[in-house]
Amino acid sequence: MSEPREGLWGGVRRGASSVAGFWRRSLRLRVVGSTVALTSLAIGLTGWALLAQVADGLGEARSTSAVAEARAGFDRVRAQLETTAVADAAAASEAVSQIVDSLTQSGQGEGRYDVVVAGPLGEPGEPAPVRSSGNVSASAIPDDLVETVADSDGVYWRFAEVPVAEGETRPVVVVGSRLDVPSTGDDYGIYYVFSTADQQETLNLVRNALALAGVAMIVMVAAVALVMSRQVLEPVRLARRTAERFAAGHLEQRMHVRGEDDLARLSESFNQMAASLQSQIARLENLSKLQQRFVSDVSHELRTPLTTIKMAGDVLHEARSGWDPSTARAAELLHRELQRFEELLADLMDLSRFDAGAAQLELESVDLAEVARRIVGDPVLTRKHIDVRLVGADEPVVTEADLRRVDRVVRNLVANAAAYSRSEDVVVTVGENAGSVSLSVRDHGVGLTSEESLRVFDRFWRADPARAAGGTGLGLSIARGDARLHGGDLRVGSIAGRGTDFVLTLPKPGGDVKRPALEPMREAGDA
Amino acid sequence: MSHRRTHHDRVLIVDDDASLAEMLSIVLEGEGLTTAVCRSGDKVPAAMGSFRPDVVLLDLMLPGVDGMEVCRRIRESSNVPIVMLTARTDTDDVVAGLAAGADDYIVKPFKNSELVARIRARLRRTDQILETLEFGDIVLDPAGHTVHRGGQPLELTPLEFDLLACLLGTPEQVFTREVLLQKVWGYHHPGDTKLVNVHMTRLRSKIEDDAENPTIIRTVRGVGYQAIAPS
């Protein structure tokens, strides 16, 4: 039961939030929206004030004419009463009735007013007999007017509503005055009830015209706002598009400057910024090229003599058996240290290429499982009596990668594990998920402290200088550089006394390494 | 094994660095090879004529005429195997050198044993086929190491001959680049697939009608190459 309602509510909420989102994103919608809202408010207020003034004016005109007409009527009645001799109250009442009838007839004839006569008036608060023409009853006369008329001389008027049918009223103006019948001394209240339907109609007409004009005005303002916002926002959009293209690498992208207004100045500033960025980037590119050139030159200049030395060293090394022990030993040391020197040079060159951004990937389809199998089966490892176990390497784990670099990283990790693993037990695990492939090399050696774990990828850093088992101290830095060149990563997890775990993660084509297939072991999660 | 082993194999060393050139001579002579040294690229054509080397060891960084140019000039008149020495591991340089006509390359610094193995691999023919092979309109003769297509002789280097013979010898079989490296180059060099790629491009440009759309040697994506039997 509640399911569809929630669905509906959810839909409404989604709809509302998408409208809200559009409102947030579209500057133009906001400009037009707020313009329309403010204009509506202004037009509404103006219209209301105008209408009130017109209503006042119409009411005043109507009341003035009504009072003038009533006054004339009252004068006529007074004159008539003065000339009519009445003997007693009944006769007076009869006379008044006749007057009312005559007045009413003249009113009815033109359909302009009704007449109500109340009296003779007794004590205040005491209801007086009422005579009236038409459908107007005594209740139509406002009470305060009745009191005012009873108490004071003069002519008074009020606006009022008189009922015409069930639940319907019509607007009227009521003019009243006290009438003394001189012969009897009785007082009568006499009231003219003028219809203001004409004025109301005029007022309605004016109101409708104003409303129509107001709506038309708002629509026009909205249209104007739309056009104006377009005029102002179009250059902004243009600037956005230019900036996007610039960010996408089109560094020659510039804005078109036209005129001298704020937008032109914006364009000019944008162009200045773009030019400055472009020249900065060009300078950096140039620097990077110089750096690459330098690396290449140093590499060549060092390599040629090193090659000669190394070849000579090899010759001496092979001939050492015929020499006295110390000379033979010297040849051995020469040979060994030349090897180290060469490795160091090669590693330094690799790092320089990473730094200069000159390292290149040769991508091909690489099966991490096969790489792991090949390296684990390397006789160099078996010679050292290190037991390497493979996990998850039965199925191919394939991604696009540089085989030479991947091979180098894995070889380095396994060799490291072999060198530092005291338990002679190394586990290589291969795994994959939707976005990445991972290879973990876990040893059960002495492990690293958390501080050492942080420094393990630093250049020339060694876990224990005294225990240094050869190598250049650059291997892990290069391994991480290789991993990152692929858009992947090399991470370490370690527990002192229990071993170290390096995890190489490489992205699959179109994937990323935000959620690696394997995670390095952690203090808590280690089983 | 080979018909050339009756005399000492001759290696022409082209290197501007006097010490390195001399050292190369010492090591290669120690292996029973005959060597001659060219100190600049300009002198190579003359040395080619007078020394008639069986293999050229060429340093890519030479003053004057650079290594690539020397390589191209040698290839204009000779199919002699060329092994280049390079100080650069940058792929682009190696590929350019191979494209210029070198058969193999070796990166400085190297072990003497590695150098000798490479030179020997280029001197020794890997006998891919023992009898004359006819493959469509292509005829390979292992005795004279000649290839004809439609009766016209094709100028292939020994390495290209071996590569072609290897593929045509077992048509339809897909050879991975690793296998080709082992069978044709004669040593295992894992991952160095650019050697195969560059030579395959050169071989195709010589035997195919349209090297862009090969009909004789097909690329099997992600695996390697295969010869397509003529229908």
Side-chain angles (χ1 to χ4, degrees):
Chain A
M1 271 304 279
S2 63
E3 191 76 11
R5 200 178 296 164
E6 268 178 23
L8 183 67
W9 178 233
V12 168
R13 267 208 311 223
R14 265 198 303 283
S17 78
S18 86
V19 167
F22 189 59
W23 175 260
R24 260 200 321 278
R25 280 194 305 277
S26 173
L27 182 58
R28 198 162 165 200
L29 182 70
R30 283 212 301 281
V31 166
V32 173
S34 44
T35 307
V36 166
L38 289 173
T39 313
S40 304
L41 190 67
I43 287 177
L45 283 173
T46 313
W48 178 73
L50 208 62
L51 206 60
Q53 208 158 13
V54 170
D56 278 358
L58 281 173
E60 203 178 309
R62 184 66 186 116
S63 61
T64 308
S65 73
V67 167
E69 195 165 349
R71 206 183 281 276
F74 295 148
D75 290 348
R76 236 176 31 239
V77 172
R78 281 199 189 92
Q80 228 167 344
L81 278 177
E82 274 165 20
T83 55
T84 311
V86 281
D88 55 11
S93 177
E94 185 58 28
V96 167
S97 279
Q98 278 173 8
I99 293 162
V100 167
D101 287 345
S102 78
L103 285 176
T104 308
Q105 263 158 21
S106 66
Q108 293 295 48
E110 294 165 34
R112 291 184 300 144
Y113 56 85
D114 293 307
V115 176
V116 176
V117 176
L121 299 172
E123 289 303 305
E126 200 178 302
V130 170
R131 272 171 297 252
S132 69
S133 69
N135 302 322
V136 182
S137 66
S139 64
I141 315 301
D143 292 342
D144 64 328
L145 184 63
V146 174
E147 282 170 24
T148 314
V149 166
D151 293 344
S152 353
D153 292 327
V155 177
Y156 302 93
W157 64 273
R158 293 283 187 284
F159 286 115
E161 301 276 325
V162 297
V164 284
E166 194 67 36
E168 269 183 59
T169 58
R170 65 188 169 93
V172 292
V173 56
V174 182
V175 186
S177 184
R178 199 174 60 186
L179 197 66
D180 301 326
V181 180
S183 47
T184 62
D186 282 337
D187 292 339
Y188 290 84
I190 181 161
Y191 305 96
Y192 274 65
V193 178
F194 295 91
S195 170
T196 59
D198 286 354
Q199 282 70 35
Q200 193 60 44
E201 210 165 290
T202 310
L203 202 60
N204 284 348
L205 213 64
V206 170
R207 187 161 52 206
N208 287 347
L210 275 178
L212 205 68
V215 168
M217 196 100 152
I218 288 167
V219 169
M220 280 189 294
V221 164
V224 168
L226 211 63
V227 170
M228 295 304 283
S229 68
R230 187 186 168 79
Q231 204 172 352
V232 174
L233 289 180
E234 196 50 38
V236 175
R237 278 183 201 201
L238 215 63
R240 191 195 71 193
R241 232 172 288 145
T242 312
E244 278 169 359
R245 284 179 59 77
F246 189 83
H250 301 274
L251 299 183
E252 74 293 342
Q253 202 71 27
R254 294 290 182 276
M255 286 190 70
H256 185 63
V257 182
R258 193 168 43 196
E260 293 174 6
D261 56 9
D262 290 310
L263 291 168
R265 284 214 294 279
L266 168 71
S267 305
E268 257 167 38
S269 306
F270 180 91
N271 288 349
Q272 276 168 14
M273 181 194 73
S276 152
L277 276 176
Q278 192 179 15
S279 74
Q280 289 277 8
I281 288 167
R283 198 152 56 215
L284 285 176
E285 271 173 356
N286 193 33
L287 209 64
S288 165
K289 278 202 193 96
L290 281 178
Q291 166 90 354
Q292 286 175 33
R293 181 77 225 158
F294 179 72
V295 168
S296 176
D297 288 352
V298 167
S299 171
H300 177 250
E301 294 303 325
L302 276 178
R303 272 167 198 267
T304 300
L306 178 62
T307 305
T308 312
I309 296 168
K310 188 173 159 57
M311 292 180 80
D314 275 0
V315 170
L316 297 180
H317 188 246
E318 270 162 38
R320 73 190 184 283
S321 55
W323 299 342
D324 67 275
S326 58
T327 314
R329 180 64 186 149
E332 260 170 34
L333 288 175
L334 175 69
H335 186 256
R336 198 175 77 189
E337 292 310 302
L338 270 174
Q339 187 74 31
R340 214 172 117 191
F341 187 80
E342 187 194 332
E343 282 169 14
L344 199 56
L345 179 67
D347 284 357
L348 281 173
M349 287 307 143
D350 274 326
L351 283 176
S352 297
R353 267 189 284 273
F354 285 136
D355 291 348
Q360 291 174 348
L361 281 178
E362 286 174 62
L363 289 178
E364 61 183 303
S365 194
V366 171
D367 178 4
L368 269 191
E370 199 208 316
V371 171
R373 278 198 301 273
R374 190 172 61 229
I375 291 169
V376 165
D378 197 308
V380 175
L381 287 174
T382 23
R383 262 206 307 280
K384 286 183 179 169
H385 303 291
I386 287 165
D387 177 28
V388 183
R389 278 189 294 136
L390 265 180
V391 178
D394 305 322
E395 298 285 318
V397 175
V398 182
T399 188
E400 291 278 303
D402 187 326
L403 180 59
R404 186 180 65 87
R405 293 184 191 274
V406 172
D407 203 88
R408 173 165 80 174
V409 173
V410 179
R411 218 169 264 280
N412 187 300
L413 294 180
V414 173
N416 258 4
Y420 295 108
S421 174
R422 295 273 168 87
S423 64
E424 299 179 351
D425 176 16
V426 176
V427 182
V428 177
T429 311
V430 181
E432 67 177 319
N433 60 15
S436 64
V437 299
S438 290
L439 183 146
S440 134
V441 179
R442 159 89 205 263
D443 70 44
H444 293 79
V446 291
L448 300 166
T449 65
S450 56
E451 193 193 334
E452 286 172 334
S453 289
L454 288 176
R455 296 202 58 199
V456 79
F457 295 109
D458 288 358
R459 291 172 187 184
F460 296 114
W461 186 85
R462 287 160 204 265
D464 181 0
R467 206 179 59 201
T472 59
L474 295 171
L476 284 173
S477 309
I478 292 171
R480 178 173 258 192
D482 277 334
R484 290 190 170 163
L485 191 62
H486 283 86
D489 204 359
L490 178 64
R491 300 192 300 156
V492 65
S494 186
I495 301 171
R498 296 185 62 180
T500 307
D501 188 10
F502 284 95
V503 177
L504 167 72
T505 302
L506 300 175
K508 284 184 176 177
D512 59 54
V513 296
K514 281 184 197 128
R515 303 182 64 180
L518 298 174
E519 291 279 353
M521 67 172 178
R522 291 272 175 269
E523 196 78 51
D526 188 37
Chain B
M1 230 193 269
S2 172
H3 64 291
R4 290 187 195 168
R5 297 302 296 275
T6 48
H7 61 88
H8 286 298
D9 287 313
R10 304 158 78 82
V11 182
L12 178 65
I13 298 164
V14 185
D15 202 313
D16 64 307
D17 189 284
S19 302
L20 181 55
E22 192 180 346
M23 199 63 233
L24 287 166
S25 288
I26 292 170
V27 168
L28 294 178
E29 300 263 357
E31 289 291 321
L33 299 162
T34 306
T35 62
V37 173
C38 253
R39 293 283 303 284
S40 86
D42 313 329
K43 296 173 188 155
V44 172
M48 288 294 291
S50 58
F51 183 64
R52 298 202 296 109
D54 297 302
V55 65
V56 175
L57 189 57
L58 172 66
D59 197 326
L60 272 188
M61 297 289 278
L62 286 172
V65 188
D66 83 351
M68 310 273 182
E69 188 53 37
V70 173
C71 213
R72 269 189 288 274
R73 284 190 194 168
I74 294 173
R75 274 285 167 267
E76 278 169 15
S77 58
S78 168
N79 285 325
V80 65
I82 301 173
V83 177
M84 57 184 186
L85 287 181
T86 173
R88 300 200 192 164
T89 47
D90 311 40
T91 315
D92 292 351
D93 271 24
V94 172
V95 168
L98 293 173
D103 293 274
D104 200 354
Y105 69 95
I106 184 164
V107 179
K108 294 186 221 175
F110 40 78
K111 287 194 175 77
N112 291 353
S113 53
E114 193 190 354
L115 170 74
V116 173
R118 298 279 177 116
I119 300 279
R120 287 253 181 255
R122 294 280 58 78
L123 290 167
R124 183 177 59 241
R125 296 309 301 259
T126 58
D127 295 320
Q128 300 294 338
I129 51 170
L130 301 170
E131 292 171 5
T132 302
L133 177 74
E134 288 194 27
F135 191 90
D137 58 352
I138 298 176
V139 182
L140 283 89
D141 172 20
H145 288 109
T146 56
V147 185
H148 288 80
R149 180 163 188 208
Q152 296 294 312
L154 295 178
E155 283 292 319
L156 297 191
T157 67
L159 188 100
E160 286 159 3
F161 180 92
D162 289 350
L163 189 57
L164 185 61
C166 178
L167 286 161
L168 300 194
T170 43
E172 304 297 330
Q173 187 188 326
V174 180
F175 290 90
T176 66
R177 292 174 176 85
E178 300 283 325
V179 168
L180 287 173
L181 277 172
Q182 216 157 5
K183 285 177 85 90
V184 178
W185 274 261
Y187 59 91
H188 191 59
H189 200 278
D192 196 356
T193 50
K194 56 181 168 286
L195 263 180
V196 185
N197 296 346
V198 174
H199 280 94
M200 196 59 77
T201 307
R202 278 230 316 271
L203 177 60
R204 277 173 173 163
S205 73
K206 291 182 181 179
I207 63 164
E208 299 275 4
D209 294 323
D210 178 5
E212 297 292 314
N213 300 297
T215 54
I216 301 165
I217 302 170
R218 196 166 74 91
T219 304
V220 183
R221 235 188 103 72
V223 187
Y225 301 95
Q226 72 177 144
I228 303 160
S231 49

